[in-house]
Each structure stands twice: as C-alpha cells, then as structure tokens.
Amino acid sequence: MAIGIEALLLVGLGGSIGACLRYLVSGTVPLLKGLPTGTLLVNVIGSTILSTLTFLSEPYASFHLINIGILGSFTTFSTFAYESFKLLEEGRTALFVSNITLNLLLCLSGVYIGQQITSLI
C-alpha cells in the first residue's frame, strides 16, 4: 500500500494539532486526589470522537487529518500506561486500580456514546 504525500501531510498536520491539544488539556486539568485526570479526560474525549466518526461508516476526506493525525496524537495510551505503572511503583495501589478502571470503563462508554450518536444521525 503506497502512502500518498497528501495523506502524509494531513497526518503530520493533524498530529501537531492533536499534540498541542493534548498538552493544553492534560496540562490544565488538575490531579484529582492523585489520579492523573488530564490523561483520563483526553482518552475519553478521543475515544468518543473517534468512535463517532468511525461508526458514521462513511468515507470522508478528513480521515487522515482527524482520525490518524489529531486523535492519534491527542489520546495518550502510552502516558496512561506510564502513569499507571508509576502509581503502582509508588505503592498507591488504590489509585492504580482506579486509574485503570476509569480509563477502561469511561473510554468504552465513550465508544458506546459515539455509536449512539451515529444512530441518531
């Protein structure tokens, strides 16, 4: 599969936008009793938007820009994994479990919400 220059540029542009949005959102949301809520928030927002666009099941020109570029760099699974590991390493087991549980349940809820939004369209 050949990657076109236009698609590559759209992914790059979207990636820089998503990275900046991630920095702004996760950097401004305070910890909630030690829980990294900024990362949780971007993961939930990203899951909801990505699933809404995907469940629309219609091809659109902005796929590379939005899905791969913006949302790919906006969501933060690697940060989530690192922050979870640090909580465990620091002996904060309750926060470790809470962080994993909330990310999993809320992001799956975001996917469900995205699917429900598309059924209304």
Side-chain angles (χ1 to χ4, degrees):
M1 175 175 136
I3 297 175
I5 189 72
E6 181 180 340
L8 187 62
L9 291 174
L10 287 171
V11 169
L13 174 62
S16 66
I17 293 168
C20 290
L21 289 172
R22 172 183 166 188
Y23 176 77
L24 290 172
V25 172
S26 64
T28 57
V29 176
L31 293 176
L32 181 62
K33 297 184 179 182
L35 189 72
T37 50
T39 301
L40 174 62
L41 182 61
V42 296
N43 285 337
V44 172
I45 291 169
S47 296
T48 305
I49 294 171
L50 181 72
S51 66
T52 301
L53 295 175
T54 303
F55 282 121
L56 283 174
S57 298
E58 294 184 28
Y60 50 93
S62 56
F63 175 80
H64 290 93
L65 176 69
I66 297 172
N67 282 30
I68 299 173
I70 295 174
L71 295 174
S73 65
F74 180 67
T75 57
T76 58
F77 191 80
S78 58
T79 303
F80 154 72
Y82 172 77
E83 289 173 343
S84 297
F85 181 81
K86 287 300 286 180
L87 291 171
L88 184 62
E89 185 179 58
E90 294 167 358
R92 301 166 80 185
T93 309
L95 283 176
F96 168 77
V97 171
S98 295
N99 194 45
I100 290 173
T101 302
L102 286 169
N103 269 279
L104 181 62
L105 293 178
L106 292 176
C107 290
L108 287 173
S109 296
V111 171
Y112 175 76
I113 290 167
Q115 180 191 41
Q116 294 304 302
I117 289 170
T118 61
S119 70
L120 298 173
I121 297 174

